[in-house]
Amino acid sequence: MPDTATGAQGQTPIAATLSLKQRLQRYLDADTITAPRQTRIIAVANQKGGVGKTTTTVNVAAALAQEGMNVVVIDADPQGNATTAMHIDHAPGTAGTYEVLISRAGIADVVQKCPSVDNLYVVPATIDLSGADIELIDVPQREFQLRRAIDKFTMTYTKVDYIFIDCPPSLGLLTLNAFIAAKEVLIPIQAEYYALEGVSMLRTTIGKITRAMNRELVILGIVLTMMDNRTNLAREVSEEVRRAFPSDAFETTIPRTVRLSEAPSYGETIMTFDPTSIGAVSYRALAHEIAHKEVTGHGA
């Protein structure tokens, strides 16, 4: 497990970042991961926007793909930011998640290969998806449309190691479809005071879905994003999250960096945009933690 403790007191920010990157790199150099026994289906969710949800989805997916895993990202957010980050066209009318949910298209028929990362594939989202919540209202078993499609896909394509579902920042039918299709939920949270309140609400929602609709759903973990260890606030929130959810909080935290913010505008993940940066190394470390944490049992 990576050591992500902050640098020694008195270090400059640059020295602290370099020290952290060196520790993470030593961990990665010494660690190996293997493919899971069966396809892991992970919904990445938080009902609050701007917490690094999509950034976490695409970069963890890319990191695992670079380790030789076969990875599919399903973009279930009408904003299509995950699609953009992997340089996939998402003009209106592009076949993708909307067609899977509304027209019952097969995932294999709409999935596209990420041009910059081998073993990484994307089911794109377009603006058409923004109307899916309303269009699904009258569909029989509307909450199970994505699960049906994923079950069919994984039965046919047995070599898929990970499926990540990037959820919209809300708890509507799109997110509900993701929770019923998934086996695990990864929760990114920003290091701010309202973070714990949001996580508690989300855990309650996941617990209700587990009891009523998907007995297999569990919380994979909580990852702190946009961390700035120079501030007391970030350190206090990190400590409080670990006290409140000791078994759920990942050791790896994701720093706030300009390079992570820049990468999507070039149609790239940080893994290809700046692979030696602290952001890339941190997401690789998180991907390793996720690979080692296969959660079993029933949910929250």
Side-chain angles (χ1 to χ4, degrees):
M1 187 172 291
D3 174 12
T4 58
T6 57
Q9 286 187 347
Q11 281 188 322
T12 65
I14 292 175
T17 297
L18 180 59
S19 176
L20 173 59
K21 188 165 82 167
Q22 289 172 339
R23 288 198 301 276
L24 290 174
Q25 191 60 60
R26 285 195 295 271
Y27 160 72
L28 290 166
D29 290 343
D31 190 56
T32 57
I33 60 176
T34 58
R37 295 182 297 273
Q38 59 184 9
T39 304
R40 292 180 65 181
I41 307 168
I42 301 171
V44 185
N46 191 321
Q47 71 270 33
K48 188 177 185 300
V51 298
K53 176 181 55 60
T54 297
T55 301
T56 296
T57 301
V58 299
N59 287 308
V60 169
L64 288 167
Q66 288 183 334
E67 294 279 1
M69 307 294 129
N70 292 311
V71 185
V72 175
V73 171
I74 298 176
D75 193 348
D77 187 342
Q79 296 178 84
N81 291 334
T83 305
T84 299
M86 289 183 283
H87 205 62
I88 302 295
D89 178 43
H90 61 115
T94 301
T97 307
Y98 175 84
E99 284 70 22
V100 170
L101 292 171
I102 303 300
S103 306
R104 297 207 168 197
I107 289 175
D109 298 325
V110 300
V111 72
Q112 297 188 42
K113 187 182 185 306
C114 176
S116 58
V117 180
D118 290 339
N119 310 314
L120 181 58
Y121 301 85
V122 189
V123 177
T126 69
I127 194 64
D128 300 332
L129 195 58
S130 61
D133 268 347
I134 296 173
E135 293 182 60
L136 282 169
I137 288 175
D138 294 326
V139 175
Q141 293 194 306
R142 56 187 178 272
E143 305 94 341
F144 293 85
Q145 297 304 299
L146 189 56
R147 180 170 186 167
R148 171 198 57 77
I150 289 177
D151 285 348
K152 182 178 179 181
F153 180 68
T154 54
M155 286 175 61
T156 306
Y157 298 89
T158 57
K159 298 299 184 183
V160 177
D161 298 307
Y162 290 87
I163 295 176
F164 287 92
I165 309 170
D166 187 36
C167 299
S170 65
L171 295 176
L173 273 174
L174 291 174
T175 300
L176 184 56
N177 262 268
F179 283 168
I180 292 174
K183 303 294 192 298
E184 305 167 67
V185 182
L186 175 62
I187 306 172
I189 63 172
Q190 188 176 353
E192 61 172 22
Y193 274 124
Y194 293 120
L196 285 178
E197 181 180 343
V199 171
S200 297
M201 291 171 57
L202 186 55
R203 283 170 59 91
T204 299
T205 299
I206 292 168
K208 290 177 180 178
I209 292 170
T210 299
R211 290 187 292 273
M213 297 178 175
N214 182 5
R215 296 285 297 170
E216 297 177 289
L217 188 65
V218 297
I219 293 175
L220 169 60
I222 299 166
V223 58
L224 279 158
T225 63
M226 304 182 193
M227 281 286 292
D228 185 348
N229 287 315
R230 296 172 299 176
T231 68
N232 290 331
L233 173 60
R235 291 192 293 270
E236 289 168 6
V237 171
S238 177
E239 291 168 4
E240 193 167 351
V241 167
R242 296 184 193 286
R243 279 197 302 269
F245 309 109
S247 62
D248 289 336
F250 282 101
E251 288 293 327
T252 305
T253 61
I254 306 302
R256 182 188 295 275
T257 75
V258 173
R259 301 298 275 172
L260 276 172
S261 302
E262 288 177 338
S265 66
Y266 290 87
E268 293 188 59
T269 69
I270 195 65
M271 299 303 149
T272 56
F273 182 67
D274 193 353
T276 63
S277 66
I278 183 62
V281 174
S282 297
Y283 269 119
R284 285 183 60 209
L286 177 61
H288 276 240
E289 268 202 88
I290 288 170
H292 290 306
K293 189 179 181 182
E294 286 199 59
V295 186
T296 57
H298 297 309

